[in-house]
């Protein structure tokens, strides 16, 4: 029998969970854990330059693999810094485990150095959290954290561990089994059959699918259902990679920045089949005016989502994949030619417009040119703002878990560290982060991490020297009274990247931007590609906040 | 908290929860974040079972209550939620202590 410290137990349990890489930053209150990591020697540690970066690196690893990943931070400012990444994971249902160091138990509540109530702060932004009170609790808390994070609707779990618990010793007789996800929730049969009958009886149905399709691995079942019953599919921002963008039944993303025909089709549908989506306000616009004549079938793994925003005719609590698979034999094969023709007419009348798509120096153009240079399994991350919506509109996604974006929380600074995490998880695949100058500045310090890890991450920086989406709203809705939105002093981002040891080029200075872009994308290793764009280059269509989805502003009105 | 009399607009909730520091914070935080008033609370450990406690709450009956209950049911430390009518004796029996 061997005696272990709490820190050794933590690292051993993480290793038994299959954890191979951890992102984090050490500090006073988690040094014993880092020392155990050093003595273990089998887990790779990636040293982020800010705890928020570490949180997003873990998210990137998780979003690509679907498996729970881990990040570390110390007490106090380490913990407060990482909270944004945890809140982001909560809003997008991403399972990560965050382990924070805490001041010794005897000092908790004394305003000790670097003490903050991490447990209290993290309650509303985690799926669950723990404050470990003694060394023996580690044996239940750590496997349980992994089980909770990955079961049902996934989400982040935080474990706060006081330093004395890390330093305590105990003899270990046996190790607990690793925490594994509970069996997916199987749907009840009766509503499932009623829903299938409602689908069969409907004339103008639309499938409105979200991140739940990705989380449950339901893409294949989704295709079978929509193809058999010829149901048009609209993905949310979180579900964009759940169905190939060129699939004939894919009618594109809905909501605030949808193509106009998509929102008009939803307005005309008689049955809305929501699967793994949650009627977010950016998707629905003014709720009373969303799909006003449709009955609603709502499938979600989280019972509290059903009827939360809009009452449904049939609510089904269950795993999206299991529900869709159960529908396949129950739904009739139909071609719905009238409905499909109607949508085609709408598409011709209100098409998706991507001005400048042929010009690699425009925002849409650089997105389309980059896509043409990448394989289907390339991983795309974004930050938050105009560039994010433009990538959502213009990038031809075809494979699940290739699209990583901050949907619910809308965190500027998400894209770049998440791309680093994605590349750690999938070192053989290209990873491209589309960012804006506003967002990139919020986690620019991770250039140091990228240079050190030498990963195949390309940052395409769309620089309009402004907080573009704020600028757009001030221009459209606040009488063009611009305030606190422009960065008039030009920043040499290429020089900064090079200063950190990351290769860089500016398309604005290239003789042949197309060729320069292709060269940069194809060269292995990190690179920052700077693209100057016009601050008045807006993202359209746009539903004014609080408006009805069919009342959209466009380039021409 | 306020001193509202028991009315027909009240609902009594009975929660069975894990007994450790922090559970109350999880439960009450849910109500507080949604600006949902809880006007009475009683909490004691269950006898014979060291790991469990019972929390009785008196809350306003409004249209958000169903959603509130679903959110409470999602809390990991809450094993059961029961809903009772407004006249439940748990609060009438202790009322003399609040005179």
């Amino acid at each position: 029998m061997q005696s272990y410290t709490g820190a050794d137990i933590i690292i051993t349990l993480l290793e038994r969970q299959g954890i191979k890489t951890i992102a984090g930053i050490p500090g006073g209150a988690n040094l014993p854990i880092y020392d155990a990591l050093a003595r273990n020697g089998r887990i790779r540690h990636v040293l982020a330059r800010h705890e928020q970066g570490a949180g997003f690196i873990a998210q990137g690893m998780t979003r690509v693999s679907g498996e729970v990943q881990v990040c570390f931070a110390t007490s106090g400012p380490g913990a407060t810094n990482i909270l944004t990444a945890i809140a982001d994971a909560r809003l997008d249902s991403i399972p990560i485990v965050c382990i924070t160091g805490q001041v010794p138990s005897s000092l908790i509540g004394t305003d000790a150095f670097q003490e903050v109530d991490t447990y209290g702060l993290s309650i509303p932004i985690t799926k669950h959290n723990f404050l470990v009170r003694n060394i023996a609790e580690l044996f239940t808390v750590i496997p349980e954290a992994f089980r909770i994070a990955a079961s049902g609707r996934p989400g982040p779990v935080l474990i706060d561990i006081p330093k004395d618990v890390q330093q305590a010793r105990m003899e270990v007789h046996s190790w607990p089994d690793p925490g594994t996800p509970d069996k997916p929730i199987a749907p009840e049969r009766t509503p499932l059959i009623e829903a299938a009958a409602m689908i069969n009886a409907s004339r103008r149905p639309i499938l409105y699918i979200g991140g739940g399709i990705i989380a449950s691995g339901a893409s294949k079942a989704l295709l079978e259902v929509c193809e058999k019953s010829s149901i048009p599919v609209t993905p949310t921002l979180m579900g964009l990679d759940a169905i190939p963008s060129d699939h004939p039944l894919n009618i594109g993303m809905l909501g605030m920045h949808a193509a106009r025909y998509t929102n008009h089709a939803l307005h005309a549908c008689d049955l809305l089949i929501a699967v793994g989506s949650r009627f977010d306000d950016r998707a629905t616009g003014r709720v009373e005016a969303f799909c006003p004549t449709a009955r609603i079938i709502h499938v979600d793994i989280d019972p509290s989502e059903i009827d939360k925003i809009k009452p449904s005719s049939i609510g089904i609590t269950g795993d999206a994949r299991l529900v869709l698979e159960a529908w396949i034999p129950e739904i009739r094969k139909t071609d719905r030619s009238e409905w499909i023709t109607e949508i085609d007419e709408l598409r011709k009348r209100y098409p998706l417009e991507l001005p400048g798509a042929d010009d690699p120096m425009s925002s849409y153009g650089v997105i389309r040119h980059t896509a043409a240079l990448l394989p289907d399994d390339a991983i795309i991350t974004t930050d938050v703002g105009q560039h994010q919506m433009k990538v959502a509109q213009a990038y031809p996604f075809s494979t699940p878990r290739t699209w990583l974006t901050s949907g619910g929380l809308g965190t500027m600074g998400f894209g770049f560290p998440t791309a680093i995490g994605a590349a750690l998880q999938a070192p053989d695949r290209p990873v491209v982060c589309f960012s804006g100058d506003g967002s990139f500045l919020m986690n620019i310090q991770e250039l140091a991490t990228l240079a050190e890890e030498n990963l195949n991450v390309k940052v395409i920086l769309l620089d309009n020297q402004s907080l573009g989406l704020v600028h757009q709203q001030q221009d459209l809705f606040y009488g063009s009274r611009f305030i606190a939105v422009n960065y008039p002093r030009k920043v040499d981002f290429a020089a900064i990247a090079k200063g950190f040891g990351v290769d860089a080029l500016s398309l604005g200075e290239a003789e042949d931007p197309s060729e320069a872009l292709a060269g940069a994308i194809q060269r292995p290793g990190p690179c920052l590609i700077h693209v100057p764009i016009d601050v008045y280059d807006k993202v359209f269509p746009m539903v004014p906040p609080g408006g009805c989805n069919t009342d959209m502003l466009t380039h021409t009105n | 908290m306020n001193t509202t009399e028991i009315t027909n607009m009240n609902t009594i909730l009975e929660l069975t929860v894990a007994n450790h520091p922090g559970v109350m914070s999880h439960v009450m935080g849910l109500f507080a974040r949604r600006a949902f008033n809880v006007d009475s609370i009683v909490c004691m450990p269950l006898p014979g079972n060291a790991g469990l406690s019972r929390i009785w709450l008196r809350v306003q009956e409004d249209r958000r209550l169903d959603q509130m209950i679903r959110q409470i049911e999602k809390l990991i430390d809450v094993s059961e939620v029961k809903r009772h009518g407004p006249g439940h004796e748990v609060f009438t029996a202790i009322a003399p202590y609040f005179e």
Side-chain angles (χ1 to χ4, degrees), chain B residues 43-61:
Chain B
C43 177
M44 282 176 80
L46 289 178
N49 189 339
L52 292 176
S53 288
R54 179 143 299 148
I55 302 177
W56 292 88
L57 302 174
R58 190 172 70 186
V59 299
Q60 297 291 307
E61 172 84 61

Side-chain angles (χ1 to χ4, degrees), chain A residues 474-508:
Chain A
Q474 290 182 347
D475 201 12
L476 294 174
F477 311 124
Y478 293 87
S480 305
R481 288 179 299 279
F482 298 112
I483 180 163
V485 72
N486 288 319
Y487 299 137
R489 173 81 200 222
K490 197 173 161 61
V491 174
D492 188 345
F493 283 101
I496 289 173
K498 286 174 187 160
F500 277 104
V502 169
D503 192 16
L505 76 147
S506 184
L507 288 196

